[in-house]
Amino acid sequence: MYGFEAMTFNIHGGYLEAIVRGHRAGLLTAADYNNLCQCETLDDIKMHLSATEYGPYLQNEPSPLHTTTIVEKCTLKLVDEYKHMLCQATEPLSTFLEYITYGHMIDNVVLIVTGTLHERDVQELLEKCHPLGMFDSIATLAVAQNMRELYRLVLVDTPLAPYFSECITSEDLDDMNIEIMRNTLYKAYLEDFYRFCQKLGGATAEIMSDLLAFEADRRAVNITINSIGTELTRDDRRKLYSSFGLLYPYGHEELAVSEDVDQVRGVMEKYPPYQAIFSKLSYGESQMLDKAFYEEEVKRLCLAFEQQFHYGVFFAYMRLREQEIRNLMWISECVAQNQKSRVHDSVVFIF
């Protein structure tokens, strides 16, 4: 019941909520980012990070450092924290935490299938997979020739199995089909996660509805922009949109018939929360759209911590930490490639 969570939440969730709020206090601040942006080499970045929570993970890394090493170690920290929380969690929080990783599972499946299509080495692909999205039979994905085989041989025993019902076809896997598969899976996953949060009720349902609706709307915009000028029909495009969110259903109808970025902008400006995002962009410009969406998402995720006794803080923390890792990757790449003039282009400040 909404408003009465305080009476029972701490019985099972109090310890973990305290843990996740403690982790949140360790996120890098604007001052940290300003110092990182001044670094001249990757070793300088390592030295600065040694004073943060990433210190123990990077301290034994020899020079010369690579960007991939920094990202790998920072991701390892996130994975360790996640596993600790999952071990301590009871139902329904444990299921909620598992839902958070399904997005990474979908990305890993798509990465391996696409890599196999382009005849890349499976071992090399497995190293690139996100550790939160690993499952036992992931290496055998490489043998599948079409969606049906992919499902029958590998995915039937994973949590992604129910999401595949909509995209099982006998068509051979090619780049276009794989991208459609990714978006169909994501649609099914987001809708399922949304239903699960609604079932939990209370503050969790309220806060997660907002966060997941934003995610669904962002995906709808990205699908529309990426499919402009491709052979994807309007009906195909419409099928990839999630059945909830601020844009559902009328915004989806308008997005489905949009022919260029400016038409997409026209649709989005009718919705006040998204008006501010598009007002930052000049007409015809979609390159900075991702950053604008990330900034809005970070703002919403930080607001999740303003309320107590709900599971949204776990989702928010994982997303904020992933954004931090993206920031560190961008800064490290700019420093490694001597492109320091562009270092602020993609950094999204969290606090």
Side-chain angles (χ1 to χ4, degrees), residues 22 36 60 120 130 143 151 188 199 209 225 233 252 320 345:
L36 286 167
N60 296 324
R120 303 281 290 280
H130 197 290
V143 300
Y151 177 77
K199 211 162 63 183
S209 296
I225 291 173
T233 65
H252 289 169
L320 288 172
D345 285 3

Side-chain angles (χ1 to χ4, degrees), residues 20-117:
V20 83
R21 285 178 185 275
H23 286 328
R24 180 250 193 187
L27 290 167
L28 299 179
T29 61
D32 289 319
Y33 283 122
N34 286 330
N35 290 337
L36 286 167
C37 291
Q38 305 301 320
C39 292
E40 296 293 331
T41 65
L42 292 182
D43 285 320
D44 291 348
I45 290 179
K46 175 187 166 184
M47 190 175 73
H48 183 76
L49 289 176
S50 65
T52 69
E53 290 186 0
Y54 292 116
Y57 289 86
L58 288 165
Q59 65 188 11
N60 296 324
E61 289 305 311
S63 296
L65 270 178
H66 297 287
T67 306
T68 46
T69 311
I70 292 175
V71 172
E72 209 174 281
K73 295 298 171 187
C74 293
T75 307
L76 183 62
K77 178 187 183 310
L78 174 65
V79 172
D80 286 349
E81 289 170 351
Y82 172 80
K83 284 182 177 167
H84 173 70
M85 291 192 291
L86 188 60
C87 286
Q88 305 290 335
T90 55
E91 282 295 339
L93 178 54
S94 53
T95 304
F96 182 89
L97 288 172
E98 282 167 4
Y99 265 108
I100 295 173
T101 63
Y102 293 173
H104 294 300
M105 280 188 194
I106 293 168
D107 290 339
N108 286 354
V109 168
V110 171
L111 175 71
I112 294 208
V113 172
T114 311
T116 311
L117 187 68

Side-chain angles (χ1 to χ4, degrees), residues 102-261:
Y102 293 173
H104 294 300
M105 280 188 194
I106 293 168
D107 290 339
N108 286 354
V109 168
V110 171
L111 175 71
I112 294 208
V113 172
T114 311
T116 311
L117 187 68
H118 296 291
E119 296 174 358
R120 303 281 290 280
D121 180 47
V122 178
Q123 203 51 46
E124 185 190 321
L125 293 169
L126 285 173
E127 284 167 16
K128 287 186 177 173
C129 285
H130 197 290
L132 282 178
M134 297 303 263
F135 49 88
D136 294 340
S137 53
I138 194 164
T140 51
L141 285 169
V143 300
Q145 297 297 313
N146 58 43
M147 308 274 192
R148 207 174 288 274
E149 278 184 24
L150 194 67
Y151 177 77
R152 188 172 56 82
L153 298 174
V154 188
L155 297 167
V156 71
D157 295 325
T158 70
L160 301 182
Y163 308 150
F164 256 84
S165 57
E166 286 184 44
C167 60
I168 295 181
T169 63
S170 299
E171 289 177 35
D172 285 345
L173 294 167
D174 59 29
D175 285 338
M176 183 74 160
N177 283 340
I178 290 171
E179 208 44 50
I180 290 172
M181 176 182 84
R182 181 211 293 272
N183 286 307
T184 310
L185 286 176
Y186 249 105
K187 175 195 171 184
Y189 155 61
L190 284 175
E191 287 173 357
D192 189 27
F193 196 4
Y194 183 80
R195 280 193 299 272
F196 177 73
C197 292
Q198 291 299 315
K199 211 162 63 183
L200 290 177
T204 301
E206 185 196 21
I207 287 160
M208 285 305 298
S209 296
D210 180 55
L211 295 174
L212 291 174
F214 179 77
E215 179 70 17
D217 291 344
R218 175 171 60 182
R219 293 195 72 80
V221 172
N222 286 337
I223 287 165
T224 307
I225 291 173
N226 293 337
S227 63
I228 290 169
T230 66
E231 65 223 44
L232 204 67
T233 65
R234 290 173 179 181
D235 286 338
D236 288 341
R237 200 190 278 182
R238 201 176 283 116
K239 281 179 200 160
L240 298 176
Y241 299 150
S242 301
S243 60
F244 66 97
L246 197 59
L247 299 177
Y248 175 77
Y250 303 112
H252 289 169
E253 293 300 324
E254 292 186 64
L255 283 178
V257 297
S258 296
E259 299 292 341
D260 59 35
V261 176

